[in-house]
């Protein structure tokens, strides 16, 4: 009935999420409220770890792409599950360090890392830096030299794979700001530069082809191309690079018609192709990394809102306005993303009311969805929107000077605040007269 694995209707007729009554959560913490099930996050992590163990003898590491939802509680939780952490900015890196994540398991991504960010990473001995450009390799070489360190680097290669997803979140095509093209010879130039550096230990190649992908073939094609690239590097230089990161991008279910692949299916298919390539080409099996973000958190999160104005425009559309909107979830406005929702305090009633769920920001595109079917709502009801665990909190803003919501986590069945609600005082605290 619900897209979320953790949702059900409880005896009181309310929506329960991860074992906790959502109406009680809304009363206790106020709305809008992000709710993240760390119990669910742990279960998702376990699926990935089991798949890597089963199909590749555990010879690798799963990295959580923290851009999907980054705060100390989540960084700590995924680390406790044995995951590494992909960070893509100084802010994410700082959060991971503050959360006590082992720097050796932090991997630093980004297509335009600043001097300050690279310094922070190298000073703190992050495990791997994924170098995105020739200029960045020069920066790493220089900064590592100045700090008397040797930086472990993977070169981000662009394999020219087009995965069918939204144009804004496609990253493996040649015409991209990310990585160094294999076809154009740029990736090889990066490899040669890194090999020539005294302050860089070149460990391997990394790649990421896009996000919210529902097919296995693009990942398998990508793995094959990267293995071919590793092979040609060995032919050319005699150096066998031992690490391969195939990135993230595994799709999740937002609406019932979405049909995501399991971690077992994707990792199984990629691992099989890599192993076959290695067997056929007498190449050692690389340390294999995957980098899921959305697949770890999306379905483990919901957002609770309070229903305000309900406007029924005869023969046109019903608008159900909530106390949140594009400032806590910009994904409809950005990508036309689709969601499902439920009136949490009427969860046992039939869902037969079709409406646009509208935010409170001053623009017409500020919707959670244009046509969502829910129980008949009234002012004061609690509306739960599902599958908001990824790229909601992390993409939130203060648009219209709205304070960002709090995040509550459910950990071993208990709820607690992981991120406190912003106040109006917070909003003006950066302002100078
Ligand atoms: N690795 C790299 C290098 C990435 O750029 C990304 C996502 C991931 C891993 C994780 O991808 P995931 O498993 O979460 O699909 N804001 C967009 C998604 C942007 C994804 C950016 N990169 C959205 O809300 O759909």
């Amino acid at each position: 009935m619900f897209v979320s694995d953790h949702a059900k209707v409880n005896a009181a007729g309310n929506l329960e999420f991860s074992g906790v009554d959502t109406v009680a959560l809304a009363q206790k913490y106020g709305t809008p409220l992000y709710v993240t099930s760390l119990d669910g996050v742990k279960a998702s992590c376990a699926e990935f770890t089991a798949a890597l163990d089963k199909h590749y003898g555990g010879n690798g590491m799963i990295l959580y792409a923290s851009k999907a939802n980054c705060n100390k509680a989540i960084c700590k939780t995924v680390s406790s599950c044995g995951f590494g952490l992909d960070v893509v900015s100084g802010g994410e890196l700082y959060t991971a360090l503050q959360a006590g994540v082992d720097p050796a398991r932090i991997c630093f991504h980004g297509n335009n890392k600043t001097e300050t960010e690279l310094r922070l990473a190298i000073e703190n001995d992050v495990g791997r830096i994924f170098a995105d450009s020739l200029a960045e390799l020069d920066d790493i070489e220089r900064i590592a030299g100045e700090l008397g360190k040797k930086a472990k680097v993977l070169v981000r290669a662009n394999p020219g794979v087009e995965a069918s997803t939204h144009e804004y979140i496609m990253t493996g095509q040649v015409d991209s700001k990310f990585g160094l093209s294999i076809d154009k010879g740029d990736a090889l130039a990066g490899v040669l530069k890194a090999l020539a550096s005294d302050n860089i230990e070149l460990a391997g190649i990394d790649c990421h082809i896009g996000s919210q992908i529902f097919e296995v073939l693009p990942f398998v094609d990508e793995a094959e191309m990267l293995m071919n690239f590793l092979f040609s590097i060995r032919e050319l230089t005699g150096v066998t690079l031992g690490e391969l990161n195939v990135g993230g991008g595994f799709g999740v279910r937002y609406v019932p018609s979405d049909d995501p692949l399991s971690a077992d299916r994707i990792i199984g298919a990629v691992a099989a192709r890599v192993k076959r390539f290695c067997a056929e080409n007498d190449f050692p099996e690389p340390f294999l990394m995957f980098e899921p973000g959305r697949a770890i958190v999306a379905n483990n999160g919901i957002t609770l809102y309070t229903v305000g104005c309900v406007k029924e425009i005869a023969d046109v559309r019903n608008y159900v306005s909530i106390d949140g909107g594009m400032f806590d979830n910009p994904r409809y406005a950005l990508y036309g993303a689709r969601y499902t929702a439920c009136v949490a305090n009427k969860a046992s009633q039939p869902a037969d009311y079709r409406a646009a769920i509208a935010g409170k920001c001053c623009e017409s595109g500020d919707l959670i969805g244009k046509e969502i079917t829910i129980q008949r709502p009234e002012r004061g009801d609690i509306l739960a929107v599902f599958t908001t665990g990824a790229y909601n909190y992390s993409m939130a803003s203060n648009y219209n000077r709205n304070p960002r919501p709090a995040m509550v986590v459910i950990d071993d069945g208990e709820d607690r605040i992981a991120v406190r609600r912003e106040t109006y005082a917070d909003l003006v605290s950066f302002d100078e007269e």
Side-chain angles (χ1 to χ4, degrees), residues 30-45:
T31 59
L33 184 70
Y34 296 117
V35 181
T36 305
S37 168
L38 294 183
D39 295 332
V41 168
K42 289 175 206 166
S44 301
C45 289

Side-chain angles (χ1 to χ4, degrees), residues 65 67-68 86 109 156 168-169 171 178 206-208 210-212 247-250 254 291-295 331 334-335 390-391 395:
K67 71 204 79 186
D86 149 12
H109 261 294
R156 173 145 176 189
Y168 290 2
I169 54 178
T171 52
F178 295 107
D206 88 281
C207 183
H208 170 76
S211 195
Q212 186 63 351
F250 316 133
Y254 284 95
E291 233 167 36
R294 195 189 310 264
R331 297 192 69 258
L334 271 173
Y335 319 111
Y391 304 111
M395 293 176 80

